[in-house]
Each structure stands twice: as C-alpha cells, then as structure tokens.
Amino acid sequence: MSRIAIELPTLQNWSCHNCGGCCKQHAIFITDEERERIDSQGWDSSQLGTSEKDLVLEERSLTGKRTLRLAQEADGSCVFLDEKGLCRIHGKFGEAAKPLACRIYPYAFHPKGDEVAVSLRFSCPSVTENLGTPVRKQKREIREIAELVVPNKAAKFPAPAVNKRTKLQWNETLSIVNAIDQTLAAEEANIGVKLLRALSWLELIGQTNFEKIRGERVDELLEILTTAIEEELQELPQLEAPSSLAMKQFRLLAGQYARKDTYASADRSFKGRWKQLQAAFRLTSGSGLTPAFGNGLGHVPFAALEKSFGLLPEESEELLTRYFRVKVQGLHFCGRAFYNMSVVEGFQSLAVVLPSTLWIARWRAATSGRNKITHEDVREALQIVDHQHGYSEALGTWGARKRVSTLAQMGQISKLIVWVLK
Ligand code: SF4
C-alpha cells in the first residue's frame, strides 16, 4: 500500500494515561483472525480472575450478522483488563498483539478527498483534558494505525452530500467544511455565537441550488454569507424560551446521549426494555423526576434543569471550541463518519451536542445538590455525550434524525443554544 496522506487536528494533544476508561465503556468486536491470535496466546479464564467462561463471545447482531466480541464483566470492564487498569494482552505480548479496535481508540479516520482526516473521541478523558503530546507531532505513529484500518479505495470515496439535493466535488465540499472551521475559530466570539453563526449561514447553504454555483463561485458565496452573518451576529440574542414541542424533542435526544450504556451493562431483557420505555415516557412528559441513568445522573425534578445554572465556566469555552473544531476538521459529523448525513444535516446534529452537554452538566450538578455548573460537570457531560455521538445506533435512526431536522426547521436549535448559555 502506498503511504496515505493524513490530515491531523491542529488543536489537540493526546497521550494515553492508562485510566482504563475505554476498556470499560466500549464493546470490542474482533475479527476471526484476531480471535485465532488471542486463542494462540494461551489465556485461561481462571488465571484472569473473571467469572466469564468464554473470553470471546460469538453472537448475532440485531440484523442477524455473526459477531465476535471480547467478553466483559458486569460493569463493562474487558476481561483482559487487569487490577491496575492495564491491558493484559498489551502487557504480555505488546501493543501490536491487541485487537485493532483497541489500537485505534481514541482516533477515528475519515476519507477527505485524497487525504484521510483524523478525529478523536472525546469519551477519552485525556482527549477532553487535552493531555499529552500534540497530535500533529505524532504523525508517524498515527499514519501506521491509519494504514491498518483505512481501505485502499478510500481515496475514491465521493464527498458527503452538501444538502438534501446536492453532491459537489471534494474541493467544493471541503471549502464549506473549512468555512465552518473558520467560523468556529473566531477569537472574539463565544462558542454559542460561533455555533449560531455557522447554523445561520449553513441554513442558506441548505436551500441553495448549486447548479450554477460551482468551483470558485462556491468560495465567493461562502465569503459573502460568512462575512454578512459575522457582522450581523456579534453576541447571543435575547433569550426566547424554546417551545414546549422543541423541549420534548430535545429531551428525547439529550436523554439518548445521557445513557452511557456499555454493551455489557445494557439490559436487553423485557424488564430492561420496559425500563427504557418508562425513561422515554418521563423524558417526553418532562414533568416530575428525571429517570436515573448512573454516571452522576440521578432522579432530579425536570423543572430544576430548566433554570439557569450560571454562566459557562471560562475553561469550558476552550474545551467546547476545541471539541467542535476537531469534529469539523476530522469530518466527524457527516458522510460515512456520521450516519451518511449531509454536511448541513450533520452540522445541525453536531450543534445539538452543545445544549445536550450543558443540560446533562446541569443534571449532574442538580444530582449533587448544586445550582451552578462547574468545568468538571461540562467535561464529564461531554465525555458522556461524545461516547454516543456518531456511535449510538439510536441516534442514527429515522426518528432521531427527524427530531433534529424538526428542531432545525423550527429554528429551535439556536433557541436551545441560547437557553443553555443564559
Ligand atoms: S480512556 Fe483514553 S486515557 Fe484512558 S486508557 Fe483509554 S485511551 Fe488511555
């Protein structure tokens, strides 16, 4: 395979700090070849101190596809995780002996024209806290992983659609993506204003007929739109409460983000499904107490989450701007990386991450009896949300997509953003 060109995020640092978090919250699906390798390593479940008899489970997915998965303890921990929080396979046989899924995390690779864009998952605490070596200085190691995972034909994949009707060439699509990144990079504006600006001009992109606007004319259009909106929108507009219909749709989406289920902890029994249904009823009604989802999210009155929890902590501005820019630069919000959504639809879904994160941060604070959110609340909430964003089957369903598009058509995503920031 010829060396692939990778594009790295400009703002992010990362090194693994061995917290073991990813080994507790993700199901690791493996290939037949990886199963054979693990079998040949001679592991014995009694030595590992696990109650699981089989270390690799052969299952059927909902669609009937055969899958192989590393067994997990009841709390979601991988059976190969040791008491110090380290991987036994890595410890005994080295990094390259681990399943590919473990080696890739927290990176995510997406075709970007003739390059591959690299994004990161903010479910990893070292990513949210920006700890370690700048990612742009780890090009050689990251490219080695990318070469294991990116298919040869990736450079031939077409660009994601721009809106419901339009597919453009890669260079034209990337002009739009770069313009979103530039909007988010504005230093003088807070994260709410930056998202509102991007949503406003992308709404116009969503309505544009590109038949006669191609090539350089796409750049001209972007220049006109982004400049006009930047001048018009200098600060957050007056608070106008989201409608009750919008709040209902929003609670269902944010509730989906709040469930940090691990594959092992997800209860697929009738009782478990009944509990899920009850939680959905509560989120729809928005009255009485919230469901309890663990991860610091207990039963609190819904009404308590509707009040202001103070201004966004200063450090959270940097975290949220970095989050959105890493996702946009890494194309981690549209196309193959994100339920095959268009750039416009995918960005609307990405923008809902802000109100979802801050609502969950409020929920976390209220569960601990506080009426102000801290940076830690925001950081933890973002880890919970990004665990699901782009990876939860439920968020890619027709119902969830319809919820986001309804909120966007009613102009309610912007209202939700203002509401959680005031
Ligand atoms: S969650 Fe992140 S820091 Fe923790 S072990 Fe996994 S990769 Fe390392």
Side-chain angles (χ1 to χ4, degrees), residues 78-312:
C78 172
V79 286
F80 290 103
L81 191 64
D82 71 11
E83 46 302 325
K84 293 192 203 115
L86 300 174
C87 172
R88 287 186 172 96
I89 301 180
H90 188 148
K92 200 161 172 192
F93 298 100
E95 209 262 335
K98 291 196 293 188
L100 192 52
C102 308
R103 297 179 67 191
I104 295 169
Y105 186 87
Y107 291 115
F109 302 99
H110 308 120
K112 195 173 184 183
D114 48 15
E115 293 185 323
V116 170
V118 179
S119 175
L120 287 98
R121 297 187 65 178
F122 281 64
S123 48
C124 165
S126 296
V127 176
T128 43
E129 291 180 53
N130 210 19
L131 298 178
T133 311
V135 167
R136 67 192 146 71
K137 293 197 175 158
Q138 305 185 53
K139 196 165 193 169
R140 190 176 52 80
E141 298 89 323
I142 298 171
R143 182 158 49 202
E144 272 169 23
I145 302 174
E147 283 173 351
L148 294 172
V149 69
V150 177
N152 281 332
K153 57 181 187 200
K156 297 201 172 75
F157 290 154
V162 166
N163 59 31
K164 279 203 176 96
R165 298 178 303 273
T166 316
K167 282 189 170 220
L168 300 178
Q169 297 297 318
W170 265 112
N171 61 335
E172 298 159 328
T173 309
L174 292 182
S175 289
I176 297 172
V177 172
N178 292 341
I180 302 176
D181 186 46
Q182 284 312 303
T183 299
L184 296 174
E187 279 182 8
E188 86 299 347
N190 65 39
I191 187 62
V193 170
K194 292 188 276 202
L195 287 176
L196 258 46
R197 284 175 179 168
L199 283 167
S200 303
W201 67 255
L202 274 167
E203 190 185 337
L204 299 172
I205 291 287
Q207 296 158 7
T208 300
N209 179 349
F210 281 91
E211 220 167 283
K212 296 197 176 129
I213 304 174
R214 302 305 298 262
E216 285 178 5
R217 295 200 61 201
V218 174
D219 295 315
E220 286 166 21
L221 174 69
L222 288 168
E223 177 69 25
I224 294 167
L225 291 180
T226 54
T227 311
I229 294 214
E230 198 177 307
E231 279 168 16
E232 191 185 308
L233 196 60
Q234 300 278 334
E235 54 189 41
L236 284 183
Q238 288 293 321
L239 175 59
E240 209 183 304
S243 69
S244 61
L245 175 63
M247 284 305 294
K248 191 183 287 186
Q249 303 293 345
F250 167 68
R251 279 192 305 270
L252 282 165
L253 282 169
Q256 197 58 52
Y257 278 120
R259 330 177 53 89
K260 198 176 175 183
D261 293 331
T262 62
Y263 199 83
S265 68
D267 187 349
R268 291 173 189 79
S269 65
F270 176 75
K271 200 168 147 211
R273 286 177 201 275
W274 176 244
K275 268 173 79 181
Q276 273 189 21
L277 205 61
Q278 280 183 316
F281 279 138
R282 282 189 197 224
L283 290 161
T284 311
S285 81
S287 60
L289 296 179
T290 61
F293 282 158
N295 288 304
L297 306 177
H299 291 298
V300 295
F302 277 107
L305 307 184
E306 309 248 329
K307 293 185 302 211
S308 170
F309 271 60
L311 294 178
L312 187 68

Side-chain angles (χ1 to χ4, degrees), residues 360-409:
I360 292 169
R362 286 180 179 187
W363 189 347
R364 206 177 171 271
T367 304
S368 324
R370 289 177 283 115
N371 59 8
K372 292 263 178 296
I373 55 167
T374 61
H375 179 56
E376 197 196 340
D377 292 321
V378 177
R379 209 174 57 207
E380 293 282 328
L382 188 60
Q383 280 168 24
I384 292 173
V385 168
D386 200 54
H387 176 75
Q388 304 282 16
H389 191 72
Y391 295 90
S392 148
E393 273 186 39
L395 286 167
T397 59
W398 180 86
R401 291 176 72 157
K402 184 75 189 154
R403 263 177 213 121
V404 175
S405 64
T406 305
L407 288 172
Q409 278 159 17

Side-chain angles (χ1 to χ4, degrees), residues 14-26 81 85-86 102 105-106 121 123-127 131:
W14 180 74
S15 304
C16 177
H17 289 76
N18 295 325
C19 71
C22 53
C23 313
K24 294 181 184 153
Q25 56 185 340
H26 295 282
L81 191 64
L86 300 174
C102 308
Y105 186 87
R121 297 187 65 178
S123 48
C124 165
S126 296
V127 176
L131 298 178

